[in-house]
Amino acid sequence: MKSLFGNARLPDRNLALEFCRGTEAAAMSAGRLMGRGDKNAADGAAVNAMRYMLNTVDMDGIVVIGEGEKDEAPMLFNGEHLGTGKNAEVDIAVDPIDGTRLTALGISGAISVVAGAPRGTMFNPETVFYMNKLVVGPEAKDVIDIEAPVAENIRRVAEARKKAMGDITVVVLDRPRHEKLIGEIRAAGARIKLITDGDIAGALLTCKLERGADMLMGIGGTPEAVITACAIKAMGGNMQGKLWARNDEERQKALAVGMDFDKVLTIDDLVCSDDVFFAATGITDGDFLKGVRYEGERIYTSSLVMRAKSGTVRYIDAVHSLYKLDKIAGIDYKA
């Protein structure tokens, strides 16, 4: 199939349904370690399970956003090939656990996510690990400007959503670097939902109709920003970002490879395709998805599966047979 991407073989089926098997596997493996206080063990279990399952998918996948240099990961690293090598050529973005600390401590909001898009369409953040982000849902997608004052963005979103500014809820990561941002949001009269970790899940709240939020603002992970862009594009929302360096050494290293800290990155800069796939499975109970439950021989999972091209959003509650999985899968889901 020829396209704007030359001779690349584009996805012609909903890969998100197959990605969901990977997020389910990661969630079921990591969920066994919920509350045990070991982030590395939980992350390792999730990585192993996700990688095993994604390698069964008929695709020629390359990890663009993976565990990466920041995590010194031996698997699901940037540049790793995934899948059988057949059919669609796909950029893959993974976060086996968005919220490893949440999982380790048994706190709500941890999810496992995979996103995909045609080869060459995902933004590669290189060595820049953080980005300033502004995310909104569909009703406010045309009014945001990350370079405008905080209060102005809140005013615009309130107007688009036909709300008072005092009714707007802004999701913000609870970090010392956000002290000024939080002060500006409060001065504008808006409400704040502070989250300790997991800004992918936090961004999804902007597209949730009930018990959601109106905006996400602040500095979080750049890899997570690319995954967020895939999800928000599939849900009809919008986001903008600007790269953010932790120190001058990181800035100079990024400038040397052509990164631009002044450029406003649009959602299309982060993923320049409308044929985007996204799957997420809850690990611990959260605002968007229920966490994994273990009931003897059965495991219960809750997932979100989306394809931007079709606009289809699926919520999948699955019941897994531990006994049968033990016989056919190369993953140990037992405690």
Side-chain angles (χ1 to χ4, degrees):
M1 180 187 299
K2 289 189 177 181
S3 71
L4 294 175
F5 304 101
N7 295 320
R9 294 164 291 164
L10 299 182
D12 58 1
R13 65 191 191 284
N14 194 346
L15 284 173
L17 291 166
E18 297 181 63
F19 291 164
C20 185
R21 294 169 59 225
T23 59
E24 286 176 341
M28 288 190 289
S29 295
R32 289 288 192 189
L33 297 165
M34 186 186 82
R36 298 191 184 182
D38 192 337
K39 293 195 302 182
N40 292 334
D43 192 50
V47 168
N48 282 323
M50 178 177 283
R51 181 175 184 262
Y52 175 88
M53 200 60 70
L54 291 182
N55 272 327
T56 70
V57 178
D58 280 342
M59 66 176 178
D60 179 4
I62 292 181
V63 177
V64 175
I65 303 294
E67 292 291 90
E69 180 182 340
K70 183 171 66 171
D71 300 299
E72 298 180 352
M75 291 187 294
L76 294 181
F77 54 85
N78 297 354
E80 181 175 2
H81 285 260
L82 291 176
T84 63
K86 302 175 183 177
N87 296 330
E89 297 175 355
V90 185
D91 283 350
I92 303 292
V94 301
D95 199 346
I97 304 180
D98 178 41
T100 51
R101 192 180 73 89
L102 303 178
T103 303
L105 298 179
I107 300 173
S108 64
I111 61 174
S112 177
V113 296
V114 176
R119 179 70 48 77
T121 62
M122 279 189 187
F123 176 74
N124 187 340
E126 301 285 349
T127 58
V128 184
F129 299 135
Y130 290 90
M131 180 184 291
N132 189 20
K133 310 170 194 178
L134 174 56
V135 184
V136 294
E139 291 176 308
K141 67 179 183 179
D142 297 322
V143 303
I144 58 172
D145 179 0
I146 198 169
E147 296 193 305
V150 169
E152 174 63 14
N153 274 304
I154 293 172
R155 186 196 66 77
R156 293 181 185 184
V157 171
E159 184 176 306
R161 302 211 64 187
K162 297 178 173 59
K163 289 184 173 185
M165 288 178 68
D167 294 334
I168 294 296
T169 300
V170 185
V171 179
V172 181
L173 272 171
D174 189 5
R175 297 289 188 273
R177 62 178 177 261
H178 288 147
E179 182 178 352
K180 181 175 182 290
L181 171 63
I182 289 169
E184 291 180 11
I185 295 170
R186 287 174 175 162
R191 300 169 357 128
I192 297 175
K193 179 180 176 64
L194 287 175
I195 56 174
T196 59
D197 295 280
D199 65 346
I200 298 174
L204 288 174
L205 287 176
T206 64
C207 296
K208 191 172 188 286
L209 294 179
E210 297 180 3
R211 301 191 308 278
D214 302 284
M215 311 170 69
L216 177 139
M217 303 179 91
I219 297 162
T222 304
E224 288 84 356
V226 178
I227 298 173
T228 296
C230 294
I232 296 302
K233 179 168 279 196
M235 300 184 88
N238 195 13
M239 72 177 290
Q240 295 178 358
K242 293 185 74 173
L243 297 174
W244 184 83
R246 292 172 294 181
N247 51 53
D248 188 61
E249 180 183 354
E250 186 171 290
R251 173 180 286 272
Q252 294 306 317
K253 187 176 180 181
L255 290 172
V257 295
M259 306 304 279
D260 186 349
F261 289 89
D262 295 320
K263 181 180 180 180
V264 174
L265 297 168
T266 68
I267 195 168
D268 289 325
D269 289 321
L270 296 172
V271 56
C272 62
S273 171
D274 290 324
D275 202 5
V276 176
F277 307 89
F278 179 87
T281 300
I283 300 174
T284 61
D285 286 335
D287 293 315
F288 223 96
L289 294 168
K290 294 176 289 187
V292 184
R293 289 192 298 119
Y294 303 90
E295 303 286 349
E297 288 296 324
R298 291 182 174 83
I299 307 175
Y300 296 81
T301 59
S302 172
S303 301
L304 171 66
V305 178
M306 303 185 287
R307 185 180 190 183
K309 186 176 182 179
S310 64
T312 304
V313 178
R314 292 180 172 90
Y315 289 90
I316 299 175
D317 289 327
V319 182
H320 309 265
S321 169
L322 179 60
Y323 174 75
K324 290 185 177 181
L325 285 176
D326 194 43
K327 285 189 169 184
I328 66 172
I331 306 166
D332 185 4
Y333 293 113
K334 297 187 293 295

